[in-house]
Structures are given as structure tokens and as C-alpha cells.
Amino acid sequence: MRALLAVVFGGAVMLAGGGAAWADAFTVGGVTVDVRAASAAKAREQALRQGQVEAYRRLLAVVVIDADRARLPELGADAVESLVSDFSVSDEKASSTRYIASLTVHFDPERVAAFLRANGVAMVRGSDETVVLLGVYRAAPGEPPQLWEETNPWRPLLAQTAVSRGLFPVAVPLGDLLDAEQVPTEKALALDVDAMDALLARYGADAVIVALAEIKPGEGAHLILKRYPRPLPAALSELSSPIADDPAAALGDLAAHAVLAVARGGKPPVSGTMVGETDSLAILVPVASLADWVRVDRTLRALPGVKAVILRAARIDVVQAALQYTGDAEALRAAIARVGFSVAVRDGYWEVTPAPEPATPPLQ
């Protein structure tokens, strides 16, 4: 069951689009810290402060364009902490003088927006368009391009980066035989109309982005972006990574820039509102099995006012999801309580704990 849970949740995260994707842009995960100090306590304190500063830098790479980032002041740990709503720590290791861990930092969208406005900097607002991403890879100039091949490292990296950045809903192609037949590599690069329309129809998407990444040994990597049916602005359609000694790092650099370019070139959210003003909230659900999550998901979807429950991330013991609803939040909380679930509000998250299922009586 644990293996099945991991596979099902992993697939769902990659295949799900989501109208509230922009909310995820303010969560920065996977920040590794490794600090030595005079004592374990001091090492931990310094590591947590450094980790939040690093998360802030990564956040800016998502929500602020390159030219504007250079205009922002450097922030110390205290100033960064004022923008953080909460953080969590995993994979902790400590000795008497060393502390190692991985941080996930949740920033407050309204505080971040106010800070940027005060410095005259605009924010990348994300897009309502659901995008199919096709990552075409060329290992070196003159090499044949790869799209659906298992040896293509770029397509999954691009998709994972887009999903994790949360700036627009992503429809990740299955990459099965039908995809390969309908959209061979040459038709993808040519933005063949029939092939692109087939993709849009199959995945219910609004746009297709074809991202051609080419490694140039000793020089870095080059990226060309094409969009169907509406072209990207020329200023967003081509860029290079100067990282010359590490192809994997160069591709990671290109993926981050590609996601920003796609978000900037897409349709802005219809509501025009920032996170915190929309009818969407983040929930955490403790689970012991896949059956627990399925039961909670079905129950929440049936509540009055609930429009969608969108899976965001999962571990064996907990699920993170976005709950989209209309109406009053307190009324929603009361409705959740009426079906027997407990709700605890923790720094911007609702922790929804399902009631235990009644025991099945033994057969007589």
C-alpha cells in the first residue's frame, strides 16, 4: 500500500492542472542547509535563518523578472523573516557543532507584494492558461532532437519545474504511444497545426509550449521557446545559460527561465487578484493510506460551496491540497466539522483530520 500510495500521488501531482496554481509560487521547498557553529543550538539557529534567506532568493527568481531583481535591496535574515508566514524542517541531522536539514518556507503573499510595491517592482502574476509543455532536447549542435525518448532529460525537468513553481496550470503529457504518433518531434518543432490541436484536445489545454534546449559543450545551453496558438513575445522566446561546466545545472537554469517566460507571456488571472483575496485555501490532511485520502477527497467535494479539491503534494503520512470554494470561510469550516472532520488553523493552513472509519462488525 505504501508503494501504491507513492506512485498514485506522484502521478497525480504531475498530471494535475489547477486554477489556484499561483498560490504555490509562495512556497519554496528543498532548501538544504549545512552549518557549523560553537554548539548544535547555534548551528540550528544560524541554519534556519540562512535557509529562509536562500528561500527568499529563490522566491524572487519565481515572482520577479530578472531586470527588476537587480533593483531590490539585499535583505538580512530579520527582514526576510518578516515576509515568512511559516516554515517546516525535514531530514534533520545534528552533531555537537553541526546542523543539516531541508527547509520548506511559506511566504505571506500580501507581505511580499507590499514589499515589492514599496520598492517599485512589479510581480509576475502567473496565468490562467493551462499549458502543455513539450521539452525537446538536443545533446549537442548537430545531434538529433529528442522529445518522447526516455533518454531525454529535459522534458521531465521542464515539467517538474513548472509544476513546482506554480505560476500557471500545467497539463503534463503522458508521453505514450498516442502522443508519439500524433506529435512526432519534427511536427512539434514546426508547431504543426493538426498535431498541436490534437494535444490541446487530448489534455483540455489552452496553449502548447515547445521548448527546445540545446547543450553547447564548453559554452552553456541555449533555449528557444515557441507557443501555439498565440506566439510568445520575441523578447521572451530565446535565451542562453552561461553555465558552461555543468550541463545539468545549465538545464536547470533554463527551466527556471522558461517557466518565468511562459508565465509572463500568458493570460493573467481573470480575477486580477493576489493570493489571499481569492476563494482558495491550503489544507493539510494526515493520512495512513490511500483509502484515507480518497475518502476525505470525496467528502470535501460533496460539501456545499466546494468547487474543487486539487492535490498539490503528498507524503506517505500527509497530503497537501488546495480547496477552492465560494462563500464564507467560517461556514465552510462548520460544514467540514459537521461531517465529522476536525479542523485546526495553523499559520495559513487548515489541518483537516478525518474521523476514523467505523469498525466493520464481524460476521455472525
Side-chain angles (χ1 to χ4, degrees):
M1 176 60 75
R2 287 176 179 268
L4 175 61
L5 189 67
V7 170
V8 171
F9 284 162
V13 170
M14 288 302 297
L15 293 174
W22 174 230
D24 293 342
F26 293 89
T27 296
V28 181
V31 180
T32 301
V33 292
D34 184 348
V35 172
R36 295 179 184 270
S39 67
K42 288 186 177 180
R44 186 178 192 275
E45 180 183 357
Q46 292 177 25
L48 296 182
R49 287 167 66 83
Q50 289 180 18
Q52 291 177 77
V53 171
E54 173 60 24
Y56 161 75
R57 295 192 183 106
R58 296 187 189 183
L59 172 72
L60 292 188
V62 172
V63 301
V64 177
I65 65 174
D66 294 349
D68 283 346
R69 283 207 302 275
R71 298 165 47 202
L72 289 170
E74 289 289 331
L75 294 187
D78 290 340
V80 169
E81 286 178 0
S82 71
L83 304 176
V84 173
S85 58
D86 69 280
F87 64 88
S88 59
V89 180
S90 62
D91 300 326
E92 287 183 293
K93 298 177 184 177
S95 69
S96 59
T97 59
R98 187 180 183 188
Y99 179 79
I100 302 172
S102 178
L103 272 64
T104 296
V105 182
H106 305 284
F107 289 89
D108 185 286
E110 293 181 352
R111 292 180 215 160
V112 173
F115 164 71
L116 295 177
R117 282 196 302 269
N119 287 276
V121 169
M123 185 182 298
V124 178
R125 301 188 66 85
S127 172
D128 272 347
E129 287 185 319
T130 299
V131 177
V132 178
L133 291 168
L134 298 183
V136 181
Y137 176 70
R138 200 189 302 271
E143 291 289 322
Q146 302 178 45
L147 175 54
W148 307 113
E149 290 84 351
E150 292 185 2
T151 53
N152 178 358
W154 168 240
R155 183 168 64 90
L157 173 63
L158 179 65
Q160 290 164 7
T161 302
V163 171
S164 66
R165 293 300 179 102
L167 288 173
F168 49 86
V170 182
V172 181
L174 295 173
D176 58 8
L177 183 60
L178 181 57
D179 279 340
E181 288 179 344
Q182 289 183 331
V183 191
T185 306
E186 62 273 11
K187 288 190 176 182
L189 291 172
L191 294 184
D192 179 86
V193 172
D194 291 338
M196 297 298 100
D197 286 344
L199 269 182
L200 293 180
R202 185 178 191 193
Y203 294 103
D206 302 300
V208 178
I209 294 290
V210 177
L212 171 61
E214 180 179 87
I215 297 295
K216 296 186 174 182
E219 299 179 23
H222 188 69
L223 175 68
I224 296 176
L225 293 170
K226 301 178 181 179
R227 182 175 60 190
Y228 177 90
R230 192 164 45 90
L232 277 171
L236 301 177
S237 62
E238 194 166 351
L239 56 92
S240 295
S241 170
I243 301 175
D245 56 351
D246 188 339
L251 287 180
D253 189 36
L254 290 185
H257 282 85
V259 171
L260 271 176
V262 173
R264 289 171 59 197
K267 293 189 303 180
V270 173
S271 65
T273 57
M274 286 298 299
V275 179
E277 301 171 343
T278 61
D279 294 329
S280 179
L281 58 89
I283 63 171
L284 295 175
V285 183
V287 296
S289 68
L290 174 61
D292 281 351
W293 168 244
V294 171
R295 180 163 60 92
V296 172
D297 180 57
R298 289 175 177 171
T299 303
L300 293 178
R301 289 175 187 273
L303 294 178
V306 173
K307 299 301 182 184
V309 179
I310 301 168
L311 181 64
R312 292 298 185 208
R315 296 194 321 232
I316 295 300
D317 58 342
V318 67
V319 172
Q320 179 186 340
L323 187 64
Q324 295 180 350
Y325 67 99
T326 57
D328 180 69
E330 284 305 312
L332 174 64
R333 185 176 180 179
I336 293 175
R338 282 196 297 272
V339 297
F341 295 175
S342 64
V343 180
V345 180
R346 304 183 191 280
D347 297 322
Y349 282 92
W350 284 18
E351 187 173 89
V352 179
T353 303
E357 285 193 293
T360 303
L363 295 176
Q364 301 295 324

